[in-house]
């Protein structure tokens, strides 16, 4: 537990909350270190089957803490990206558990990138995305140039990244940047309901699905077909597959164990 980041486990769901509301949850070095630690320890915890990433107060996350940049001893930008932001993005992607961004308010700079890196995005009607990098003479980072075209298409990604106008929740839904938009006071309940559904799924099959979807971006159809065949061989050999078949025959919900 660190000032600025809360990590709570409740049953099979872990919730990570950016918790510096006065600074719109801007990311300091200790917060980034704690976030990476939390993601790594969740990755090793088989009792956690789904993760929610959200923010306290009126922001999801405003990206890099710009006050930290005033420190003459602050690490150079490229070093900070290589050593802290990029490992966080990779850790989110590498988790076997699905990660839901519950975007409660403004997501700016690397805060937007972290939401893009998650597997699913549920937005409050109050949410907005700001590719704030250009406003301060920087380029989109923490995966934004990779995720954006994949989420919304090349043309829309170019407009978002180059022009930089804020995208409100309705527009984000229309262009596919978020999966659903819900009233602010129901956001966490909706995110939890989604997390519970995922947590009730077969963990190994869900992990294989998550990673196959990621790999699909860098392989051709033949390779994807072979990848699916290989994974299905593995999934078909799990106890969870046998349980799924038994539950179907017995007309009851399956009880997946991850075996
Ligand atoms: O190491 C590296 O630098 C490399 C990595 C870079 C990755 C990045 O993330 S670069 C991009 C950094 N983020 C930004 O440039 C966003 C800056 N913030 C904004 O543009 C706006 O605050 C928002 C669009 C997010 C929200 O605007 P608004 O009008 O709703 O709120 P506000 O009044 O601007 O902010 C409220 C407070 O939060 C304010 O503090 P105060 O005046 O009440 O004491 C503001 O200074 C603070 N705040 C907002 N964003 C940041 C921040 N403090 C530090 N760092 C921030 N990023």
């Amino acid at each position: 537990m660190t000032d600025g980041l809360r990590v709570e486990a409740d049953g099979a769901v872990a919730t990570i909350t950016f918790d510096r509301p006065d600074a719109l949850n801007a990311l300091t070095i200790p917060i980034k270190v704690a976030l990476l630690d939390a993601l790594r320890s969740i990755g090793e915890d088989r009792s956690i089957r789904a993760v929610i990433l959200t923010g306290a107060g009126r922001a999801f996350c405003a990206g890099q803490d710009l006050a930290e940049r005033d420190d003459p001893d602050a690490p150079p930008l490229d070093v900070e990206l290589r050593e802290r932001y990029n490992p966080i993005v990779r850790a989110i992607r590498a988790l076997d558990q699905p990660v839901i961004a519950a975007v409660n308010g403004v997501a700016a700079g690397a805060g937007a990138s972290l939401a893009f890196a998650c597997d699913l995005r549920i937005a409050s009607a109050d949410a907005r995305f700001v590719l704030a990098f250009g406003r301060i003479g920087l380029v989109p980072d923490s995966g934004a140039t990779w995720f954006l075209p994949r989420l919304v298409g090349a043309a829309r990604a170019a407009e978002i990244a180059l022009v930089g106008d804020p995208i409100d929740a309705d527009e984000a839904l229309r262009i596919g940047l978020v999966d659903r938009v819900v009233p602010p006071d129901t956001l966490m309940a909706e995110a939890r309901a989604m997390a519970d559904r995922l947590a009730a799924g077969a963990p190994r099959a869900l992990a294989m699905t998550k990673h196959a979807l990621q790999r699909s971006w860098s392989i051709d159809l033949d390779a994807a077909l072979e990848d699916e065949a290989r994974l299905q061989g593995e999934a078909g050999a799990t106890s969870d597959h046998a349980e799924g078949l038994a539950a179907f025959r017995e007309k009851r919900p399956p009880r997946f164990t991850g075996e």
Side-chain angles (χ1 to χ4, degrees), residues 87-166:
I88 290 169
V89 172
R90 291 192 184 104
I92 292 172
R93 305 292 283 177
L95 277 185
D96 281 347
Q97 299 96 329
V99 185
I100 302 167
V103 186
N104 53 301
V106 65
S113 305
L114 294 184
F116 300 159
C118 294
D119 299 296
L120 300 167
R121 279 157 295 284
I122 302 178
S124 145
D126 289 342
R128 75 194 141 112
F129 294 87
V130 187
L131 263 280
F133 306 93
R135 297 178 180 190
I136 54 170
L138 292 181
V139 298
D141 64 25
S142 307
T145 62
W146 195 90
F147 292 116
L148 255 186
R150 285 165 171 78
L151 288 169
V152 301
R156 184 68 64 172
E159 184 183 330
I160 293 170
L162 294 172
V163 179
D165 286 342

Side-chain angles (χ1 to χ4, degrees), residues 20-27 32 58-59 61-69 75-78 80-81 85 106-111 113 128 130-133 135-136 138-139 141-142 166:
R20 279 185 82 205
D22 291 349
L24 303 190
N25 301 322
L27 299 167
K32 285 175 271 183
R58 72 178 177 90
C61 172
Q64 170 61 34
D65 184 323
L66 296 176
E68 241 181 21
R69 284 268 134 232
L77 296 172
D78 57 331
E80 191 58 16
L81 284 164
Y85 283 98
V106 65
S113 305
R128 75 194 141 112
V130 187
L131 263 280
F133 306 93
R135 297 178 180 190
I136 54 170
L138 292 181
V139 298
D141 64 25
S142 307

Side-chain angles (χ1 to χ4, degrees), residues 223-240:
L225 290 170
E226 179 47 36
D227 202 31
E228 289 173 358
R230 180 181 60 80
L231 293 173
Q232 205 66 299
E234 279 181 43
T238 61
S239 303
D240 277 347

